[in-house]
Amino acid sequence: MNKKSTKDILQAPRGMRDFFGEEFKKRKNFYKIAEEISERYGFSGIETPIMEHTEIFQKGVGEGTDIVDKEMYNLTTTGGDKLTLRPEGTAAIMRAYIEHGMGSLQGAQMLYYSGPFFRHERPQKGRYRQFYQFGLEVMGSKEARYDAIIIKTGYEILKSTDKEIIVEINTLGNNEERKKYVDILRNFYMKNIDSIGESDKSRVETNPLRILDSKDKNTKSVNENAPSILNYLGDDSIKHFNIVKKILEENNIKYEVIPSLVRGLDYYEHTVFEYITINSDGNKSDALGGGGRYDGLAETLGHNKSVPSVGLGLGVDRIIDITDINIDEKSNIIPILKLTNSTNLDIYIKKIIKELNNIKKVIIINHIQKFDKQIKFIKKNGYRYFIIIDEKIIKENKIILRSLKDDINEQININELKNRIREIYKKL
Ligand code: HAM
């Protein structure tokens, strides 16, 4: 056994951290925002144990993946049970879905969860051995619109960080198409075995898909001529992918199709995706989150029915590390006050909500009350900024943006509201 000095013991284990002060608040606030947005989309919470039977991940995530082969924290209890600290959530949530017969409930189950996950990776910035995810799963539906709902909900959560978010997306086709493609890919790498990087050679047999997103320089140049999955899809898979893309376009979600995006877990079919942002050096960031469809997972785990599903995991540590999520939770809410109580102003309220959609949550203060009572409410609840609709200027599409804490009391056009609010919040 590796004997540690007292100094070593008085430090958290490698790749594991303590959170307190501002950092603690930021993290707490992130979960709050993520839960609020998820609940708005119809998700409800679930919590599962931090350990599962080892086989759940061996079968679910798959032998041959880095997670199962190298990164799991496994233990044997004194009673002889083999348990694993969860390296990811999806296989565990599927186990819970099956155990509690959620398939017999009406409609697809829309679940969110959060908490620590464990992978024995080499620690570095953005990569920890104990890391945290906020996850979403829709279980029990094949419909492509759920792939889009998952992507959109995650996108909206990430947008609350005020960063530019890009969705990288791909499809792996259905199980058969994927298998056929893996064979084609394996043949391709066999032919090019001498030209690919050393560390990728062993993957030709076990997991050729993963070679596609290799970081090795030699492999990268071989990959320029690798066959693309997009040429091996059947009509149904193309249709499924097109529906997902169309809904993203309708919702103004920026995406890029990346045919080499395959993800590191075995259970995916059809849609896979990752969210990235652009770092201050102009390069793409590591994935802030990712997910996809996993129609075959329930059966892989030994269930007698298929449970078509789709989901995502957001990497909370990375999101907090590279973005500047507001620590004051009240500052993510913008109340609207009406100076006079007239219902023909409602159309403008809708316009404001639409304009601020994705960046702040808008709430409408009870307008029956007198204006000074509304202001008292703002003070008492500590809202940082609020909007006042004044009939005199709203006809010119203008509102008043005000703060009682900062020196702000200005008239602005509704169309400029989003940029102005972003500007103000950046300075906070
Ligand atoms: P994953 O891509 O392995 O997917 O993890 C999701 C996110 O967790 C990553 O994009 C990254 O931001 C974060 N992450 C992963 N490993 C680490 C680490 N060592 N340190 C810090 N952050 C990390 C899954 O886990 C799937 N269960 C997602 C999913 C849900 N697919 C369908 N449903």
Side-chain angles (χ1 to χ4, degrees):
M1 205 195 278
N2 191 355
K3 204 158 177 2
K4 299 264 182 217
S5 66
T6 307
K7 187 169 159 260
D8 287 341
I9 288 166
L10 288 175
Q11 284 185 358
R14 223 174 139 224
M16 304 188 179
R17 297 164 301 154
D18 306 307
F19 305 107
F20 49 93
E22 290 296 280
E23 179 88 2
F24 181 88
K25 278 198 216 158
K26 266 191 183 183
R27 296 174 73 91
K28 197 164 160 219
N29 188 32
F30 173 76
Y31 288 119
K32 188 153 195 293
I33 293 169
E35 283 176 13
E36 239 174 55
I37 293 174
S38 306
E39 281 174 11
R40 248 197 281 148
Y41 276 89
F43 291 85
S44 56
I46 183 167
E47 198 172 326
T48 62
I50 234 147
M51 293 186 211
E52 295 284 336
H53 293 289
T54 300
E55 269 184 84
I56 290 289
F57 303 114
Q58 268 170 349
K59 287 185 179 167
V61 177
E63 314 256 15
T65 60
D66 282 351
I67 296 179
V68 171
D69 289 0
K70 302 184 213 154
E71 297 169 358
M72 295 210 300
Y73 284 85
N74 300 320
L75 61 94
T76 309
T77 66
T78 41
D81 286 342
K82 290 192 183 323
L83 302 181
T84 295
L85 281 177
R86 59 185 186 184
E88 65 100 44
T90 310
I93 306 283
M94 181 58 87
R95 191 270 308 138
Y97 177 98
I98 296 167
E99 178 176 338
H100 302 292
M102 292 189 205
S104 61
L105 302 173
Q106 235 216 325
Q109 296 306 300
M110 299 176 75
L111 302 167
Y112 71 77
Y113 56 95
S114 59
F117 293 85
F118 302 84
R119 295 183 194 173
H120 196 267
E121 298 193 76
R122 184 193 289 267
Q124 52 183 275
K125 180 122 182 110
R127 177 161 301 139
Y128 307 99
R129 289 183 173 170
Q130 176 169 338
F131 63 99
Y132 294 75
Q133 279 189 12
F134 182 86
L136 297 173
E137 314 287 351
V138 177
M139 294 182 159
S141 175
K142 262 188 175 327
E143 285 180 57
R145 74 184 164 99
Y146 282 116
D147 306 28
I149 287 175
I150 285 281
I151 296 174
K152 183 172 188 305
T153 312
Y155 184 80
E156 202 173 308
I157 294 172
L158 288 171
K159 281 306 262 184
S160 65
T161 64
D162 276 354
K163 284 269 170 187
E164 185 193 350
I165 302 296
I166 300 166
V167 182
E168 297 193 332
I169 185 170
N170 190 23
T171 176
L172 302 175
N174 66 25
N175 201 16
E176 273 140 47
E177 288 153 4
R178 181 184 138 141
K179 272 193 190 140
K180 213 185 284 168
Y181 176 64
V182 167
D183 286 341
I184 288 164
L185 211 53
R186 187 175 288 116
N187 281 337
F188 168 78
Y189 287 122
M190 298 271 218
K191 280 193 197 128
N192 291 284
I193 194 86
D194 294 331
S195 316
I196 63 175
E198 269 321 301
S199 58
D200 290 318
K201 287 187 175 149
S202 62
R203 287 176 156 164
V204 175
E205 246 335 291
T206 55
N207 202 346
L209 271 183
R210 288 304 289 173
I211 307 178
L212 275 181
D213 64 1
S214 167
K215 304 269 179 295
D216 185 281
K217 214 171 71 213
N218 295 329
T219 309
K220 269 186 172 171
S221 70
V222 171
N223 278 344
E224 281 168 22
N225 299 313
S228 161
I229 177 74
L230 300 176
N231 298 328
Y232 299 92
L233 297 174
D235 289 347
D236 285 351
S237 297
I238 292 173
K239 199 170 146 209
H240 187 102
F241 196 39
N242 285 342
I243 295 173
V244 178
K245 288 189 293 184
K246 185 161 167 266
I247 301 178
L248 296 185
E249 280 154 29
E250 284 166 1
N251 284 279
N252 295 323
I253 295 176
K254 253 201 246 166
Y255 69 83
E256 270 176 44
V257 176
I258 310 277
S260 61
L261 179 71
V262 292
R263 313 248 317 121
L265 304 95
D266 265 2
Y267 48 61
Y268 292 116
E269 291 175 46
H270 292 291
T271 318
V272 285
F273 61 91
E274 283 183 346
Y275 301 99
I276 55 150
T277 185
I278 303 299
N279 289 336
S280 46
D281 60 8
N283 291 323
K284 285 182 175 181
S285 72
D286 285 337
L288 300 179
R293 182 160 273 285
Y294 48 96
D295 292 350
L297 176 62
E299 283 158 318
T300 311
L301 293 177
H303 192 43
N304 54 9
K305 275 194 216 123
S306 116
V307 182
S309 305
V310 56
L312 64 74
L314 298 180
V316 178
D317 311 85
R318 288 188 191 170
I319 295 166
I320 301 288
D321 280 359
I322 72 156
T323 64
D324 198 17
I325 195 131
N326 265 309
I327 54 163
D328 173 8
E329 150 208 330
K330 281 277 162 50
S331 67
N332 282 306
I333 298 175
I334 303 236
I336 300 186
L337 280 57
K338 279 199 280 187
L339 205 54
T340 44
N341 183 24
S342 155
T343 45
N344 14 341
L345 299 182
D346 289 352
I347 170 176
Y348 295 102
I349 293 186
K350 279 199 189 123
K351 254 192 185 174
I352 295 168
I353 294 177
K354 197 162 167 234
E355 177 70 10
L356 294 184
N357 189 21
N358 287 348
I359 67 163
K360 299 286 169 222
K361 185 175 167 192
V362 178
I363 58 166
I364 297 135
I365 304 297
N366 183 359
H367 302 124
I368 315 290
Q369 290 182 333
K370 287 222 165 69
F371 187 68
D372 55 352
K373 278 236 172 98
Q374 297 181 47
I375 292 279
K376 251 191 207 149
F377 180 84
I378 297 285
K379 269 191 199 155
K380 189 170 140 227
N381 285 282
Y383 292 111
R384 189 153 201 142
Y385 296 101
F386 54 97
I387 289 167
I388 302 173
I389 303 187
D390 179 350
E391 260 176 305
K392 281 191 217 124
I393 57 167
I394 197 76
K395 306 264 154 25
E396 299 157 40
N397 215 28
K398 283 187 176 162
I399 50 90
I400 298 167
L401 181 64
R402 231 187 123 180
S403 170
L404 300 172
K405 293 184 177 168
D406 310 330
D407 189 19
I408 285 191
N409 186 3
E410 54 191 53
Q411 289 188 11
I412 42 173
N413 197 295
I414 294 177
N415 306 332
E416 287 157 16
L417 191 56
K418 190 171 177 171
N419 284 340
R420 181 65 186 126
I421 284 184
R422 281 206 162 126
E423 199 177 86
I424 295 172
Y425 275 76
K426 264 200 190 114
K427 286 193 200 132
L428 283 185

